[in-house]
Amino acid sequence: MFSRRGLLQSWNEVRSYFIFSVILFFAGIVIGGSHSAPVEFLESQLKGISQIADAARKSETPELTMFLLIAANNIFKSIMVMGLGIVAGILPIVMLVANGLILGYLLSGIADNGQNVWLLIVKGLLPHGVLELSALFLACAFGIRFGMTLIKGIAGSALGKSNSWQPFVRTATGSVPALIVVTVVLFIAAIVESTITYWLMS
């Protein structure tokens, strides 16, 4: 499971789903920044995000509060998309598109207000975003593969094919070290976001 060969095999099997996750996310950004964006849904999502920021600002230790809120939220969601991706991979796909929509809508609104979007990306997104998004894509990739291999396993069993469940079992085995990697990376990303990003944006 944790051998170099096992990890490499797991990555090779999930790589296409990782790329698919990246494409879905950036497609969401494009749609979120367009005139066809679902404004009411996105506004409600942004209110939830602002509540986290407000809770951190009102705390006696804003950096620590922000770290705890961000880390707990991101790690919980990543575990959820990896596990519940078993339902045909729907939840990871929805989460990727939704997050892309929110980011695209937010950046579009900032641009419309005449602010420097690229400066915001460099100061407010890149420091922690590279780590956070990489972990999100990996978690969603495993979630989608869980759903796909489950469907193939059921179909293969119905058709009497042997070893139809092996891809699903390999995905489950590979998800254990992947979950550890995702958790550690999100933990680091939360530290960066609650310190470096917080300082740059303040």
Side-chain angles (χ1 to χ4, degrees), residues 32-47:
S34 69
H35 296 294
S36 58
V39 177
E40 291 185 5
F41 166 76
L42 295 173
E43 286 290 345
S44 67
Q45 295 299 307
L46 287 175
K47 286 181 181 179

Side-chain angles (χ1 to χ4, degrees), residues 102-181:
I102 293 169
L103 182 56
Y105 181 70
L106 181 63
L107 294 177
S108 176
I110 291 170
D112 290 342
N113 288 331
Q115 299 181 46
N116 191 328
V117 175
W118 293 109
L119 182 61
L120 173 67
I121 292 174
V122 172
K123 292 174 62 177
L125 294 177
L126 285 182
H128 67 276
V130 173
L131 294 171
E132 193 172 295
L133 288 176
S134 297
L136 171 67
F137 296 149
L138 183 61
C140 289
F142 269 93
I144 297 171
R145 182 169 167 79
F146 260 129
M148 296 299 101
T149 53
L150 176 65
I151 293 173
K152 290 178 181 178
I154 294 173
S157 296
L159 296 173
K161 295 182 179 180
S162 60
N163 302 324
S164 60
W165 287 100
Q166 282 191 359
F168 180 81
V169 172
R170 289 199 305 270
T171 304
T173 303
S175 68
V176 176
L179 181 58
I180 295 173
V181 171

